[in-house]
Amino acid sequence: MMDIFNQFLDPFLLTGFLIGVLYFYFIATFDFWANNGVPYRKPTLLLGNFGPLLLFKKSQQDGIYDMYNWFKNERYFGVYRVRSPIFILRDPDLVKSVCVKDFSCFPNRGIPVNTQDPLSGHLFNLEGKKWKGLRSKLTPTFSSGKIKRMFYLLVECSEEFQKLIRHSATGAPVEVRELAAKFTIDVIGSCAFGIQINALANEDSEFRIMASKLSKPSYKTTLWRMLRTSMPRLYKLLGVQVIHPEVTTFFKNVVSQMIREREKSTIKRHDFMDLLIELKNKGSLEGDNGSTQGLNEEDAQAAKDIVLDENSIAAQAFVFFAAGYETSSTSISFCLHELALNPQIQEKLREDILQGIEKHDGKLNYDSIQEMKYLDMVVQETLRKYPPAPLMSRRCEYPYQVPGTKIELPAGMRVVIPTYGLHHDPDHYPNPEQFIPERFTDENKRTRHPYTYLPFGEGPRNCIGMRFALLQTKVGIISFVKNHRVEVCEKTTVPIKFSKRSLVTTSEGGFWLKISPLE
Ligand code: HEM
């Protein structure tokens, strides 16, 4: 007996045994799709079907596009991320079922979160009743009325932005993403945190430093993210903090200081910080009895039960910043890139913008932007060709029979909506690589399935900041195009190469363009 035990302790045998256990652990799930009659591709040990993405050989956009095209005639297919099966939808009717019709089965994204992180309790991460309560509470802060009152803050930032654009219009190549990011950092800083950051003027602004820590993930955070999807239990057990502690401390301090200042002052700025503080102190917004309207009794109670304390305000302001600054600045940059490649579209856009401003006594106001129809089409086409979020995720909360099939997804299954694949499918968008704003005339939109266009997601879990995001993206584009021409230069990359590391769709080497003032 002792002999067998000693033999087992032999380092070679022990290593062999452990390798065997690990091998069976990693392949144990690999028959899941075959057993369920779902089309799939043979996965690779340790990486599943995500090898090129996990090893940074491909961008998320290219990876999703390839997967989407593996099964051209199917409504759905299965893949493995490391060892976890994931169900991917191709049929827009199924997207509608998951996001809207059967939302009660898919209310959460299923991205593991470590709640030890003080900023983790934000809307994007929360689940179940906590999410529903907070979403109902926050929705009125994004109403068109509230955003209209904030518009003057966007105009202030746009004026600073135009000075910087004028300064950069020397005819030499300019990296426009850097400029656009300074603008969106200023806008979100001003509207969400209530402070004038002045990233546009101040190269060393702390907000800019924190923003770059957020958008450029280090090798360490990338590895943690891999662990999060491949071994969520271990990830939670280790209590890993994906957000850098320095970033957490910074945002928490900014918010506590702001709350203290605002509570002493009687001046209203009408920004998100004012609204969040009002929610903290009064439970709902003045003149708004709608935050619990349309909810059943249980959900209305959940909304009332949500108490916004200082930590929670910091977490919401943080997610508005994290979800809003880079998505909008890259959208502005992609749009400028396309305008430089398509001078006739740029000309038509400028006319639309100048006419809109002229109609409103030469002023850029909220209403004039709503009337710029061609601008809206250009922005929609930009978000189609370059959706900032290339995919969306949902988790099945209880066994779900996929409509029109005999397939039953078990509780816990991740379902992915491949936004980038749908936006580049020639069956929905002929010549998908061409930039054609006319795809978004009312008439053309009516000819398409609405669930083939998903830049802001869909259903009750869609982007709460959509209205604000569109507004700041449009103000950013207007600031450029109104008085300046953008052109390609020797440093412009055509076609764009997507970054292999970034979670948000962006170009690998930046967006280099030439800016010149209009005569
Ligand atoms: C062009 C800019 C933007 C794009 C393309 C975008 C896109 C998205 C997408 C695709 C989602 C996930 C939707 C889903 O799962 O169905 C999302 C969620 C979210 N976005 Fe945005 N976003 C943008 C800007 C903003 C801004 C400016 C804010 C805040 C000020 C914001 C706040 C949020 C929040 C809080 C969520 C989570 C909502 C929830 O889970 O209830 N986003 N966004």
Side-chain angles (χ1 to χ4, degrees), residues 99 107 109 122-126 131 135 138 142 188 192 272 316-317 319-331 379 383 386-394 417 419 454-470 472-473:
C99 291
R109 299 205 165 82
H122 57 67
L123 196 64
F124 194 91
N125 278 349
L126 288 180
W131 166 77
R135 174 97 189 196
L138 292 180
F142 288 91
I188 310 230
F272 288 120
Q316 310 323 315
V319 80
F320 295 171
F321 184 78
Y325 106 84
E326 204 188 357
T327 44
S328 302
S329 62
T330 54
S331 301
V379 170
L383 295 172
Y386 308 102
L391 57 88
M392 278 181 300
S393 169
R394 296 289 187 269
I417 297 142
T419 308
L454 304 158
F456 293 101
E458 262 301 342
R461 195 94 216 208
N462 74 348
C463 174
I464 197 172
M466 175 170 75
R467 216 177 260 136
F468 182 78
L470 285 171
Q472 74 163 334
T473 303

Side-chain angles (χ1 to χ4, degrees), residues 150 153-154 156-157 180-200 205-208 211 250-251 254-255 258 262 269 271-274 276 317-322 324-326 468 472:
M150 274 178 221
L153 294 170
L154 273 89
E156 276 175 20
C157 297
K182 286 180 179 176
F183 168 67
T184 55
I185 289 174
D186 267 12
V187 171
I188 310 230
S190 179
C191 295
F193 290 88
I195 36 177
Q196 266 181 326
I197 295 170
N198 227 353
L200 283 161
S205 135
E206 256 191 291
F207 258 92
R208 273 197 66 205
F250 172 77
F251 282 110
V254 168
V255 170
M258 188 47 65
R262 293 280 170 109
R269 254 184 123 237
D271 54 15
F272 288 120
M273 188 51 74
D274 267 358
L276 291 172
F318 168 74
V319 80
F320 295 171
F321 184 78
Y325 106 84
E326 204 188 357
F468 182 78
Q472 74 163 334

Side-chain angles (χ1 to χ4, degrees), residues 18-38:
L18 284 177
I19 290 175
V21 168
L22 275 176
Y23 175 77
F24 283 107
Y25 172 77
F26 277 103
I27 64 156
T29 50
F30 280 179
D31 54 0
F32 185 85
W33 294 125
N35 291 345
N36 284 280
V38 172

Side-chain angles (χ1 to χ4, degrees), residues 343 345-355 374 480-486 518:
I345 298 181
Q346 184 178 159
E347 221 28 72
K348 194 169 168 187
L349 175 64
R350 185 169 298 113
E351 249 169 56
D352 185 48
I353 291 172
L354 294 176
Q355 266 176 21
Y374 193 65
F480 259 101
V481 173
K482 200 169 69 136
N483 297 318
H484 293 88
R485 181 174 297 115
V486 281
L518 293 171

Side-chain angles (χ1 to χ4, degrees), residues 191-250:
C191 295
F193 290 88
I195 36 177
Q196 266 181 326
I197 295 170
N198 227 353
L200 283 161
N202 178 7
E203 280 290 321
D204 305 317
S205 135
E206 256 191 291
F207 258 92
R208 273 197 66 205
I209 298 168
M210 294 304 148
S212 62
K213 281 195 194 243
L214 274 178
S215 60
K216 284 195 201 109
S218 63
Y219 277 100
K220 203 166 107 191
T221 48
T222 310
L223 278 174
W224 287 136
R225 284 202 175 106
M226 278 171 72
L227 182 73
R228 181 170 68 181
T229 30
S230 53
M231 296 179 181
R233 282 201 201 112
L234 181 61
Y235 170 80
K236 282 200 161 190
L237 197 75
L238 293 175
V240 176
Q241 269 186 255
V242 176
I243 305 168
H244 197 288
E246 202 187 326
V247 176
T248 303
T249 314
F250 172 77

Side-chain angles (χ1 to χ4, degrees), residues 119 140 385:
L119 294 183
K385 196 168 171 194

